[in-house]
Amino acid sequence: MIILGIDPGIAIVGYSIVECSGNKFKAIDYGCIRTDSDILFPDRIKIIYTKLTEIIEKYNPEDLAVEELFFNKNVKTAIKVGQARGVEILAAVNKGLNIYEYTPLQIKQSVVGYGRADKNQVQEMVRILLNLKEKPKPDDVADALAVAICHGSSIKFKESFRMK
């Protein structure tokens, strides 16, 4: 199974393409989509939508695993990130992907074995599980890889994580 993992954002969207076979994982591609704050918001979400659609067309994943939003104290930022997350999900829905969402706690528990793990622990476990030479950076990329691993680990229970 090919999984598209997304760490939602507006300035930086972490993405990953991970192949899952049983309990083995292989990173096929990963990186981030960046948009500059000088660009108008509608143009920023168009860039994200377009680039994510290209990634989906290139790798043809079956499922999208996306991190649920962590509530931000800055309401304006939270709303913009929420709108961007909607566009990220729309790109996947328009290409026929199944959509699954996981909380940060679920992702950390799945990847590290501890739901309160810090960013460094998540990056190191992602590196180990995917046999990468270096820790994936920035954090958004590591988080996108982690959410894909979490989904791959949860496949037998995946219907309970399907976005409703």
Side-chain angles (χ1 to χ4, degrees):
M1 165 183 283
I2 305 295
I3 302 163
L4 169 60
I6 293 288
D7 180 44
I10 183 67
I12 301 174
V13 178
Y15 73 87
S16 67
I17 300 292
V18 174
E19 181 178 11
C20 173
S21 180
N23 63 353
K24 295 183 191 244
F25 300 97
K26 178 183 175 187
I28 297 172
D29 189 18
Y30 54 92
C32 55
I33 301 167
R34 295 180 186 266
T35 65
D36 194 299
S37 61
D38 293 340
I39 300 171
L40 294 173
F41 182 75
D43 294 330
R44 292 175 83 184
I45 60 175
K46 181 180 179 185
I47 290 167
I48 292 168
Y49 181 87
T50 301
K51 289 188 178 185
L52 205 49
T53 299
E54 290 169 0
I55 291 165
I56 293 167
E57 288 173 350
K58 180 175 182 179
Y59 295 106
N60 197 29
E62 181 178 331
D63 292 348
L64 167 70
V66 62
E67 185 173 351
E68 283 187 14
L69 289 182
F70 177 77
F71 184 75
N72 193 320
K73 290 180 183 177
N74 182 335
V75 176
K76 188 174 179 182
T77 299
I79 290 171
K80 286 193 178 213
V81 172
Q83 290 172 319
R85 183 177 184 266
V87 167
E88 294 152 12
I89 291 169
L90 179 63
V93 168
N94 281 347
K95 291 298 181 182
L97 278 67
N98 301 306
I99 313 297
Y100 301 89
E101 57 184 346
Y102 299 89
T103 66
L105 184 77
Q106 289 169 320
I107 296 163
K108 291 174 181 179
Q109 181 69 40
S110 176
V111 174
V112 180
Y114 175 60
R116 304 281 183 225
D118 64 33
K119 293 284 188 185
N120 191 47
Q121 290 171 304
V122 172
Q123 288 174 331
E124 182 60 18
M125 282 307 298
V126 165
R127 185 193 70 75
I128 291 167
L129 290 169
L130 295 173
N131 198 28
L132 303 174
K133 292 180 182 178
E134 297 177 358
K135 290 180 191 177
K137 291 191 179 186
D139 292 346
D140 313 82
V141 175
D143 290 350
L145 287 161
V147 75
I149 292 168
C150 174
H151 181 64
S153 299
S154 304
I155 285 179
K156 58 186 166 192
F157 307 108
K158 75 180 189 176
E159 287 310 309
S160 61
F161 300 107
R162 192 167 211 158
M163 186 175 232
K164 294 176 175 65

